Amino acid sequence: MTLSSLSTSDGQLDLRGTPCPINFVRTKLRLEKMPPGALLEVWLDPGEPIEQVPDSLTMAGYQVEQITDCTGYFSLLIRRPLTAQ
């Protein structure tokens, strides 16, 4: 098993078991604490979280760079923009 995604991200947030919209709020708060251009890996449950959170983050101005199906959960790589929101 490789941890390549972990080594390329600047932070990681495990939100499996966290309901909507709390998972979006926690992701956004974590991104706001990170430096501009930082990359955050977030783990989300299938269903409503993976359907809602990426779209909400995109609408909030964040860049969802990758979504990976990890069998049982999804890994998102989200980049904080270089300019302030």
Side-chain angles (χ1 to χ4, degrees):
M1 179 177 161
T2 64
L3 297 175
S4 60
S5 61
L6 287 175
S7 64
T8 58
S9 65
D10 299 303
Q12 196 270 324
L13 194 57
D14 184 351
L15 293 177
R16 292 174 294 178
T18 304
C20 291
I22 295 168
N23 45 22
F24 166 69
V25 172
R26 288 188 180 163
T27 301
K28 192 168 183 287
L29 288 172
R30 179 69 179 272
L31 283 162
E32 288 171 356
K33 292 178 182 176
M34 297 176 77
L39 191 64
L40 177 65
E41 180 177 16
V42 179
W43 293 354
L44 294 171
D45 291 319
E48 190 179 10
I50 194 61
E51 292 166 8
Q52 302 291 328
V53 173
D55 289 343
S56 298
L57 288 167
T58 300
M59 286 190 290
Y62 296 99
Q63 183 179 349
V64 178
E65 294 196 353
Q66 184 177 326
I67 299 174
T68 306
D69 185 344
C70 298
T71 310
Y73 70 96
F74 288 84
S75 169
L76 269 68
L77 288 176
I78 306 133
R79 187 164 307 274
R80 181 172 179 189
L82 296 173
T83 56
Q85 295 299 301

